[in-house]
Amino acid sequence: MSDKEMAIDCCLLAGRLMMEAGAETYRVEDTMDRMAKTQDLAAIHSFVTPTGIILSPGSPHHTKLIRITNRSTDLEKIALVNAVSRKLSTGEYSLEEAYDRLKEIEKANVMFPLWLQIAAAAVASGSFLMLFNGLWQDVAAAVAAGGIGFIVVTFFQELTNVKFFAEFVSALAVALVAFFAIKMGIGIELDKIIIGGVMPLVPGLLITNAVRDLMAGHFMSGLSKGAEAFLTAFAIGAGVALVLSF
Amino acid sequence: MTWVMQAALSFLAAIGFGVIFNAPRKMLFYCGIVGMAGWLIYSASETVSGDAVKASFLGAFAVALVAHIFAKRFRTPMIVFSVAGIIPLVPGGMAYNAMRHIVENDYTTAISFASKAFMVSGAIAMGLVFAEVSIQLLYRRRSKRRRAT
């Protein structure tokens, strides 16, 4: 593999990793451009969307396309890739080192342990209940609802790979937990418990990213992320509504 | 609820989201600070003016400003800090209320909740962008020099 080919692959890999980890589109383009410029690929053009990246390095190299199939949120991965691109442009890493490092990042699983994520979701749900003027008596129910909702969403995500179905079932679980908590006299305000429990599922990152992309002029990415956010919100709403309508 | 309580709870909530979104371990504390700053500004401004849209704008502005400062300081993408801080401001409660009234066939109330949720989302986005523009103006000379090289 020639140096230039490797540089192009390196850019694409960095772009794909960042996009899969949930970075903003303009940041992905910016990072890829910067990396390319340091490797003397001045005529580069990139087109980044949430589902694929097209990179045209200019003559005599071929244009390349890479698919992005699964997207999640992994802020640490974004930070790591960003650090590699920074070190490449300051000359701290050679091209080979940067490429190897990116391959390492691709394979590494740096997520927090699952139990900690569940605990975090539960704590966040409880905190939100109180931030939204809930009652202290409801905290236990909100913590349980948030934790169970998160367990359900992770389980169904792995089982079916259909994100919206997982979110729907999870919202259903949250609403059911809240409903039974009230039936058993552990909770008082149904609405507040459900809002607290559903917060870990709410597509806050997607909404903000979508609007950020739209304002930066990335209309394709903005609209598709907006559509994803809307579908998620709809799935959550439908799940809750199913319980409420009985 | 006292301000100390609110500060502690928003700090906890932001760290919780930091864990769910897998923020870098060393940055979790700062994610919490960003979330706390955003929520306190939001909450204070909502108590004073009673206007959720204005409060969301100011809250998002504070989140993005602090996130940018941390991002410059730690040389990390700004998104690492801003995401967890923005979540408490996202109008989840209003969207939920809108949905609930739709289920109950009370469309007029539902639409008023939905349009409010839409306004608040717009205000959050404006707050984020305004903060970014302000920071860019602040660092204008530096970026100009970078562009020249």
Side-chain angles (χ1 to χ4, degrees):
Chain A
M1 194 166 18
S2 81
D3 247 22
K4 287 282 186 293
E5 287 293 318
M6 188 183 228
I8 295 164
D9 278 359
C10 199
C11 284
L12 273 174
L13 181 59
R16 181 165 65 85
L17 287 179
M18 287 182 88
M19 216 54 208
E20 280 174 354
E24 312 102 302
T25 313
Y26 76 92
R27 179 180 296 286
V28 176
E29 286 191 353
D30 188 56
T31 308
M32 286 169 55
D33 282 356
R34 264 169 214 244
M35 287 175 77
K37 294 241 162 73
T38 58
Q39 301 303 316
D40 294 326
L41 288 164
I44 199 159
H45 281 279
S46 58
F47 184 68
V48 179
T49 74
T51 48
I53 298 175
I54 303 171
L55 185 82
S56 168
S59 179
H61 306 286
H62 292 292
T63 299
K64 286 197 174 176
L65 165 86
I66 204 163
R67 270 295 283 181
I68 295 160
T69 38
N70 51 331
R71 285 174 302 280
S72 59
T73 309
D74 187 342
L75 296 175
E76 176 144 33
K77 216 173 228 177
I78 299 177
L80 287 173
V81 175
N82 190 62
V84 170
S85 113
R86 207 183 278 271
K87 279 179 180 163
L88 182 70
S89 46
T90 54
E92 205 176 314
Y93 276 177
S94 70
L95 183 59
E96 285 80 20
E97 275 176 319
Y99 194 61
D100 289 345
R101 186 80 188 95
L102 285 176
K103 285 268 181 205
E104 263 172 46
I105 294 171
E106 186 188 16
K107 282 194 202 101
N109 183 17
V110 284
M111 293 299 274
F112 282 101
L114 188 60
W115 65 266
L116 194 61
Q117 288 186 43
I118 294 166
V123 169
S125 295
S127 311
F128 275 121
L129 177 84
M130 291 315 294
L131 287 178
F132 295 149
N133 293 321
L135 302 166
W136 281 111
Q137 295 96 301
D138 289 346
V139 170
V143 166
I148 290 170
F150 195 79
I151 294 172
V152 171
V153 82
T154 354
F155 177 72
F156 273 92
Q157 177 86 55
E158 270 172 33
L159 194 75
T160 62
N161 243 337
V162 183
K163 196 167 150 251
F164 306 114
F165 180 72
E167 277 147 1
F168 171 77
V169 180
S170 165
L172 195 76
V174 169
L176 278 177
V177 171
F179 181 73
F180 283 113
I182 289 185
K183 272 277 150 90
M184 291 188 299
I186 307 169
I188 296 155
E189 291 175 313
L190 181 70
D191 284 344
K192 294 268 167 66
I193 298 174
I194 292 179
I195 293 174
V198 138
M199 274 316 263
L201 308 173
V202 167
L205 173 75
L206 274 173
I207 293 174
T208 13
N209 260 353
V211 183
R212 283 290 299 102
D213 279 346
L214 282 176
M215 291 205 175
H218 291 277
F219 298 114
M220 291 272 291
S221 315
L223 287 181
S224 47
K225 278 184 189 169
E228 198 179 349
F230 177 77
L231 276 175
T232 304
F234 187 74
I236 296 173
V240 172
L242 197 62
V243 175
L244 287 183
S245 58
F246 284 116
Chain B
M1 201 160 40
T2 61
W3 290 108
V4 182
M5 238 3 256
Q6 293 217 12
L9 284 170
S10 51
F11 185 76
L12 259 183
I15 287 194
F17 273 101
V19 172
I20 294 175
F21 293 149
N22 194 34
R25 267 140 240 248
K26 285 177 204 154
M27 299 299 162
L28 276 181
F29 175 77
Y30 299 99
C31 291
I33 297 279
V34 172
M36 189 168 83
W39 179 264
L40 286 182
I41 300 271
Y42 167 83
S43 184
S45 139
E46 218 214 344
T47 325
V48 173
S49 70
D51 184 355
V53 177
K54 217 186 288 170
S56 303
F57 171 80
L58 289 173
F61 188 83
V63 165
L65 208 63
V66 181
H68 268 291
I69 293 169
F70 283 159
K72 291 255 181 244
R73 194 163 154 213
F74 299 110
R75 302 185 151 250
T76 322
M78 169 245 188
I79 193 175
V80 169
F81 304 105
S82 62
V83 171
I86 285 295
I87 298 274
L89 307 177
V90 170
M94 287 174 209
Y96 167 81
N97 272 327
M99 198 67 208
R100 164 148 211 185
H101 284 98
I102 287 176
V103 176
E104 288 164 352
N105 287 332
D106 183 359
Y107 295 115
T108 10
T109 325
I111 286 186
S112 86
F113 271 117
S115 32
K116 205 163 176 212
F118 184 72
M119 286 293 287
V120 168
S121 321
I124 292 175
M126 288 311 281
L128 286 174
V129 172
F130 271 39
E132 198 163 324
V133 171
S134 324
I135 287 275
Q136 261 170 21
L137 288 176
L138 218 68
Y139 285 90
R140 201 155 129 205
R141 288 185 62 197
R142 239 174 80 175
S143 60
K144 250 187 191 166
R145 210 185 307 147
R146 198 184 294 158
R147 219 169 285 154
T149 50

